[in-house]
Amino acid sequence: MSRSARTIAIAGLGVLALAACTSNTPEAEKNNAPATQAVAAGKNDEPGKKVKIGFSAPAADHGWMGAITKATQAEAKKYSDVELLVAEGTNDVNLQISQVETFINQKVDAIVLLPFDGAALTPVATKAMEAGITVVNVDREFDSPAAARTTVLGDNYGMGVSAGHYVCSQLGQKKDSIVAEIAGIDSLPLTQDRSKGFKDALGECGLKVNNRVAAEFTVESGEKAAANLLQAAPKIDAIWNHDDDQGVGVMAAIKNSNRKDFFVVGGAGSANVMREIKADNTLIKATVIYPSTQGADGVRLARLLVQKKALTDLVEVEVPRTVQLYAPVVTKENVDQYLPTAFES
């Protein structure tokens, strides 16, 4: 995962709201301030040069992925100067490559691309950049920095850290606590990053992952993995499930087991899980957000890049190379803050 010095940790769609900078400079000192001036509030949102953006993402066979595409389309509609061309979602790498080739031939101004496989899409994304098209890489990183002008990322390692810190806050004084983990697809770097963050955070309070199984980000695999875990571990104090979509199956397996000896922390931040957290009548006590706003943020950044604008809350005159979104923990105390932008699983 990228840890560029220029990475910005920001959370949710609103963090890219392009409002004016505020100043802590006393009024009497402002006449002596440097020549750099804040952009007027809302100026970036005013209509500018027409921008044609191509968007491609994997198939919406998962609540989070479906939310990515919907949020991207909704964001583009907010701007009269943006034309968004949306390719049909696909998990076929060759088809997605051909979609990007089509965007190149259509001479779009920018491409917002969430690749099914970052490595496989790197060459065609690089080709688009070489053709003068601004590429914004979303979520799954390319192999080469030359393949994109800007990358918008969630924080998978940070998800694990946040989940681990929450578990520590609940169990840290009980060093004999048994912690379980239901991961996603183990072969994916994002799963490995989440697990590493979780392990590292637990280690800070003297806990560890005692039992671990992996699912496949689907309801069916979640139920199967959870059933196997519950059978293998007669004592559990906490479970972190990486993904709220597969969590539907996880919770079904828990219900079937009639066990209530632990609490559950979710992952990704689905609306149904947040509603359960708010009601506080299930074993789910928290979830860790993996923002589904990344494609929408990609559209905003692509528009700014083509129009040669910058983020007005920064002194820097260029859009950053990497934007990494924050992974906050949602509990019943703060759920109302995050529920409006949650996705349905």
Side-chain angles (χ1 to χ4, degrees):
M1 175 178 296
S2 172
R3 287 290 183 272
S4 168
R6 301 182 69 186
T7 294
I8 300 177
I10 45 182
L13 182 59
V15 295
L16 284 178
L18 306 174
C21 298
T22 58
S23 172
N24 293 323
T25 306
E27 190 67 30
E29 296 177 15
K30 288 186 177 179
N31 290 337
N32 296 323
T36 302
Q37 297 180 354
V39 179
K43 185 173 181 180
N44 274 346
D45 285 335
E46 294 175 0
K49 172 186 175 182
K50 292 287 184 180
V51 181
K52 182 183 291 188
I53 302 173
F55 174 72
S56 175
D61 52 6
H62 181 277
W64 183 86
M65 192 64 73
I68 279 277
T69 298
K70 289 178 182 177
T72 300
Q73 293 174 310
E75 192 63 28
K77 289 178 181 178
K78 295 178 182 178
Y79 297 98
S80 61
D81 53 9
V82 170
E83 178 185 357
L84 185 69
L85 308 180
V86 180
E88 183 176 356
T90 180
N91 295 338
D92 182 328
V93 168
N94 291 325
L95 179 55
Q96 193 171 31
I97 289 172
S98 88
Q99 290 175 345
V100 177
E101 294 274 11
T102 297
F103 289 147
I104 294 172
N105 293 335
Q106 290 174 325
K107 301 187 186 310
V108 296
D109 300 299
I111 297 172
V112 176
L113 181 58
L114 196 169
F116 180 77
D117 182 319
L121 270 291
T122 296
V124 74
T126 303
K127 181 178 178 181
M129 287 285 288
E130 291 173 348
I133 296 171
T134 298
V135 176
V136 178
N137 181 198
V138 173
D139 187 47
R140 301 174 185 177
E141 289 185 88
F142 298 135
D143 275 356
S144 167
R149 165 57 180 82
T150 293
T151 300
V152 182
L153 297 170
D155 188 355
N156 288 294
Y157 179 83
M159 278 186 72
V161 170
S162 293
H165 283 166
Y166 179 79
V167 171
C168 281
S169 74
Q170 304 300 306
L171 300 176
Q173 302 304 315
K174 303 175 183 177
K175 302 306 179 185
D176 61 344
S177 295
I178 302 299
V179 180
E181 178 182 3
I182 302 177
I185 300 172
D186 257 343
S187 62
L188 295 179
L190 67 89
T191 297
Q192 296 160 17
D193 287 339
R194 292 179 187 185
S195 289
K196 186 176 188 307
F198 191 51
K199 177 183 177 181
D200 290 350
L202 290 177
E204 294 176 12
C205 68
L207 296 178
K208 65 179 181 179
V209 177
N210 302 93
N211 300 89
R212 186 181 185 280
V213 294
E216 298 175 356
F217 293 135
T218 63
V219 173
E220 295 77 16
S221 67
E223 184 170 6
K224 181 178 179 181
N228 291 338
L229 170 67
L230 295 170
Q231 185 174 14
K235 180 182 184 299
I236 301 175
D237 294 292
I239 296 175
W240 181 39
N241 167 53
H242 283 208
D243 179 75
D244 286 342
D245 276 331
Q246 75 183 23
V248 174
V250 169
M251 295 310 294
I254 291 173
K255 182 178 181 181
N256 290 337
S257 75
N258 291 317
R259 289 181 61 173
K260 298 180 180 179
D261 52 312
F262 49 78
F263 65 87
V264 178
V265 180
S270 73
N272 60 303
V273 165
M274 289 192 197
R275 286 189 287 266
E276 291 181 4
I277 291 170
K278 184 172 182 176
D280 196 22
N281 57 8
T282 72
L283 296 178
I284 300 179
K285 301 304 177 184
T287 188
V288 183
I289 288 183
Y290 192 75
S292 59
T293 61
Q294 295 176 51
D297 294 334
V299 165
R300 283 201 177 196
L301 292 173
R303 176 179 174 271
L304 291 181
L305 286 163
V306 174
Q307 294 180 348
K308 301 190 182 307
K309 297 176 181 177
L311 300 180
T312 56
D313 280 339
L314 299 181
V315 176
E316 171 60 47
V317 298
E318 295 280 357
V319 169
R321 183 74 178 80
T322 304
V323 175
Q324 188 168 52
L325 308 182
Y326 184 49
V329 176
V330 178
T331 65
K332 65 179 180 180
E333 285 75 26
N334 64 3
V335 65
D336 288 333
Q337 177 183 349
Y338 299 102
L339 193 49
T341 56
F343 65 94
E344 298 288 345
S345 63

